[in-house]
Amino acid sequence: MLDLLRKPLTPYLTAAGLLIFIAVFAEHLTPFDPYAQDLEGALAPPNATNLLGTDRYGRDVLSRVIVGSQTTLCASLLLLLTISSVGSLIGAICGFHGGKLDAFLMRLSDVFLAFPQMVFAIAAAGALGGGLLNAAAALAVIGWTKYARIARSLVLSIRSMPYFDAAKMAGSSSAAILFLHVLPNIAGTILVTAALDLGTIIMELAGLSFLGLGAMPPTAEWGAMMNNGRSMLQTAPWVILAPGTAIFLTVATFNLLGDKLRDFMGGDRS
């Protein structure tokens, strides 16, 4: 644990923790009501009062970016937790038991993997009618396959380990072996994969919102904010640059954290 908290991983953990803190307490950190309109002050450039300016309805951009972190980041984390947990459990069960269930679920995952993830998500979200929940559901339908594949391959390798045979000889039930011996031993790899995947999920959810298939107005969400300001890129660039920069910094932070975490789990502690 002490090794985990030492440099150079610490700055990335701190940055990620700060982003999560902002997302959780966003409503208490905003200088203004992110949904309060002031048409007289619409499209005001960054100034001492509105540090990132205002949008076409006079809403404070900084406040909307802060609240948007709650929508974007919390939704992405919840989606990641769902697909990684469900996918890993499915993959572990398939690798543990094998048989017809394994063959069916792996062929099903092959079908989903045959489609480009974003294209499938756009089609599914469009069919479901848009909305942040439907966008997350569309990404979840195809997102679990990666974790199922990884977990299955890890479990197949674990089945050849001596402690696996020892647990069976000791009379442990299949459920006990799965939850007490198998899943804890694949958790590290799943955690690293999830950390690397978070940035992609944030981009995909924001992308669906940018296309009008995610969060609906007036919800403050980074992708939706960029969509709302795309026509004003030349006249009021701060409206689209502020949420775009937030997406960039957040994705970069979690990608760098995932890389460092992968190095740490792989034994590179430098």
Side-chain angles (χ1 to χ4, degrees), residues 225-243:
M225 291 173 64
M226 293 186 68
N227 180 41
N228 183 58
R230 61 179 176 172
S231 62
M232 298 175 285
L233 182 58
Q234 294 183 334
T235 57
W238 57 87
V239 177
I240 191 171
L241 290 179

Side-chain angles (χ1 to χ4, degrees), residues 2-209:
L2 292 177
D3 287 339
L4 185 64
L5 296 177
R6 71 178 185 174
K7 294 182 178 180
L9 192 59
T10 303
Y12 303 105
L13 285 172
T14 303
L18 178 61
L19 289 172
I20 294 174
F21 175 84
I22 293 173
V24 172
F25 298 99
E27 296 176 353
H28 303 285
L29 299 175
T30 55
F32 300 97
D33 183 349
Y35 299 103
Q37 299 185 15
D38 179 14
L39 297 181
E40 293 183 359
L43 298 180
N47 55 73
T49 303
N50 305 104
L51 297 181
L52 295 181
T54 61
D55 64 8
R56 68 172 73 197
Y57 301 109
R59 298 173 299 194
D60 182 58
V61 174
L62 176 59
S63 298
R64 289 183 63 78
V65 168
I66 293 174
V67 170
S69 70
Q70 187 174 70
T71 307
T72 303
L73 190 53
C74 290
S76 299
L77 286 169
L78 182 59
L79 174 60
L80 179 64
L81 178 63
T82 301
I83 63 175
S84 60
S85 301
V86 173
S88 299
L89 184 59
I90 291 174
I93 293 174
C94 289
F96 188 84
H97 291 290
K100 294 182 179 180
L101 179 64
D102 177 31
F104 171 75
L105 290 175
M106 290 304 102
R107 297 299 78 75
L108 181 63
S109 70
D110 288 340
V111 172
F112 284 126
L113 289 172
F115 294 93
Q117 183 163 326
M118 194 60 182
V119 174
F120 181 90
I122 291 173
L128 292 172
L132 188 60
L133 182 60
N134 289 339
L139 291 172
V141 168
I142 196 171
W144 65 272
T145 55
K146 175 194 300 184
Y147 295 93
R149 282 288 184 181
I150 293 173
R152 179 179 180 273
S153 64
L154 291 172
V155 172
L156 288 176
S157 64
I158 287 175
R159 289 179 62 180
S160 62
M161 298 293 180
Y163 70 83
F164 184 88
D165 294 330
K168 293 181 66 176
M169 293 177 63
S172 299
S173 65
S174 297
I177 295 174
L178 181 62
F179 286 98
L180 297 180
H181 299 285
V182 174
L183 290 178
N185 279 284
I186 69 174
T189 302
I190 298 300
L191 175 62
V192 172
T193 304
L196 291 168
D197 204 23
L198 181 57
T200 301
I201 290 177
I202 292 173
M203 289 287 292
E204 289 174 343
L205 274 179
L208 290 174
S209 295

